[in-house]
């Protein structure tokens, strides 16, 4: 493997562009929903009940700004859909989803070990006694 150049993680480098644009935790979920077809805001909201309307709007605006989704405002159907760019990114995300499903138990076990380790730390034990 070749060494990374010092410019690899510059602000406008391709390596850093995706994390900047996908920083909203709802964005990949929205893209996955839109992979099923265009949907109005209310349907996206119903499918993502843990997000507020403000958070959903922010995520959709970010995805629209970067060219991943577009809003159709025609009279019969006002909703959001993936653009060709968004569809190409969704193909990559589906591989990540498949990897996550394959390694789900390992991820959950690692998180549980880390949480258990944090709860048993001397610092947490002292803090718990002082509250």
């Amino acid at each position: 493997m070749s060494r990374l150049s010092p410019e690899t993680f510059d602000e406008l480098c391709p390596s850093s562009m995706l994390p900047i644009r996908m920083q909203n935790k709802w964005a990949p979920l929205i893209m996955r929903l839109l992979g099923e077809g265009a949907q109005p805001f209310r349907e996206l909201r119903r499918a993502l009940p843990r997000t507020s309307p403000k958070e959903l709007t922010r995520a959709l605006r970010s995805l629209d700004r970067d060219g991943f989704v577009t809003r159709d405002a025609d009279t019969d159907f006002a909703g959001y859909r993936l653009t060709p760019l968004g569809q190409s990114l969704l193909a990559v995300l589906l591989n990540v989803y498949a990897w996550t499903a394959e390694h789900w138990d390992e991820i959950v076990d690692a998180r549980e070990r880390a949480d258990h380790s944090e709860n048993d730390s001397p610092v947490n034990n002292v803090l718990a006694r002082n509250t």
Side-chain angles (χ1 to χ4, degrees):
M1 182 185 284
S2 63
R3 294 194 66 103
L4 296 175
S5 76
E7 295 82 27
T8 298
F9 299 109
D10 281 350
E11 183 177 349
L12 297 179
C13 172
S15 297
S16 61
M17 187 61 78
L18 181 61
I20 291 169
R21 302 303 174 225
M22 298 298 286
Q23 65 188 343
N24 183 292
K25 71 179 182 178
W26 302 110
L29 300 175
I30 292 167
M31 291 187 65
R32 189 160 190 197
L33 288 168
L34 294 178
E36 302 293 316
Q39 297 187 40
F41 184 88
R42 72 180 179 284
E43 291 300 320
L44 293 170
R45 180 82 175 92
R46 186 175 300 136
L48 299 169
R50 295 178 304 152
T51 183
S52 71
K54 183 178 180 178
E55 290 173 317
L56 182 56
T57 298
R58 185 179 307 132
L60 285 164
R61 285 181 181 161
S62 176
L63 288 167
D64 181 48
R65 175 181 176 258
D66 294 331
F68 298 130
V69 304
T70 189
R71 184 172 185 272
D72 293 324
D74 65 21
T75 55
D76 293 335
F77 179 82
Y80 295 88
R81 66 177 172 79
L82 289 177
T83 64
L85 183 64
Q87 291 171 351
S88 67
L89 178 58
L90 180 61
V92 174
L93 290 174
L94 291 174
N95 287 326
V96 174
Y97 297 142
W99 180 91
T100 302
E102 183 179 334
H103 296 281
W104 183 257
D105 291 336
E106 295 167 76
I107 295 167
V108 170
D109 290 346
R111 286 184 180 183
E112 287 176 352
R113 279 191 306 277
D115 290 347
H116 180 72
S117 198
E118 287 176 11
N119 290 335
D120 286 343
S121 78
V123 172
N124 285 337
N125 291 336
V126 169
L127 291 174
R129 283 193 302 253
N130 291 332
T131 56

